[in-house]
Amino acid sequence: MADSVRDRVTKFFQKYFGNQVMGRMPFQTLLETTGRTSGLPRQTPLGGKRIGDEFWFVSEFGERSQYIRNIKADPRVRVRINGRWHRGTAHLLPDDDAEARLRTLPSLNSFGVRTFGTNLLTVRVDLHD
């Protein structure tokens, strides 16, 4: 399915502006995946919530997101939460109610995901350390 104009504008803004700024903030939550083609680490700023030994978030573009494609190729990830890195295994949960999940996550990020997202997908990361 082709991306809409809104999707393309949102992705462009995130890639070249938002992610560049947010990724440099020391306490911004980051998801690090392994590039499925390059094999290099890829970091994406995102919002979510740690609950025990799990980290939950919702991807706004679902399986069209590059980091989701990377997770499908290799679910081993790292998540930086409050300035500390944690290893984990990501699980895509297409049967989870992403709208309901967003109501349990931090409201500012959830607002952005709901506003700009077109293909919501819940992700749970089981943290190993």
Side-chain angles (χ1 to χ4, degrees):
M1 175 196 292
D3 288 345
S4 70
V5 171
R6 182 178 83 168
D7 288 356
R8 289 192 305 269
V9 169
T10 301
K11 288 177 183 179
F12 178 86
F13 175 79
Q14 287 175 333
K15 181 175 182 178
Y16 293 104
F17 300 102
N19 289 356
Q20 298 299 318
V21 172
M22 298 304 289
R24 288 179 171 79
M25 298 181 80
F27 287 96
Q28 169 66 45
T29 301
L30 294 176
L31 173 71
E32 184 178 87
T33 60
T34 301
R36 63 194 176 284
T37 303
S38 69
L40 298 173
R42 301 293 184 204
Q43 294 180 354
T44 304
L46 48 75
K49 183 176 182 180
R50 182 176 184 161
I51 302 171
D53 289 333
E54 299 171 339
F55 181 78
W56 291 83
F57 68 96
V58 175
S59 169
E60 60 196 324
F61 298 115
E63 295 196 17
R64 293 193 316 255
S65 295
Q66 297 301 317
Y67 66 87
I68 295 295
R69 292 177 182 179
N70 290 342
I71 288 170
K72 287 176 80 172
D74 182 355
R76 294 172 297 174
V77 300
R78 291 193 321 150
V79 182
R80 186 177 78 180
I81 306 168
N82 295 324
R84 182 170 176 257
W85 285 101
H86 305 270
R87 290 179 297 114
T89 303
H91 303 276
L92 307 180
L93 303 172
D95 294 331
D96 189 68
D97 183 343
E99 286 284 347
R101 181 69 56 194
L102 283 171
R103 290 191 288 277
T104 70
L105 302 176
S107 59
L108 182 60
N109 181 75
S110 294
F111 173 77
V113 171
R114 265 193 301 277
T115 301
F116 299 107
T118 55
N119 189 24
L120 304 181
L121 175 64
T122 301
V123 180
R124 183 190 77 234
V125 177
D126 296 334
L127 303 172
H128 303 305
D129 59 350

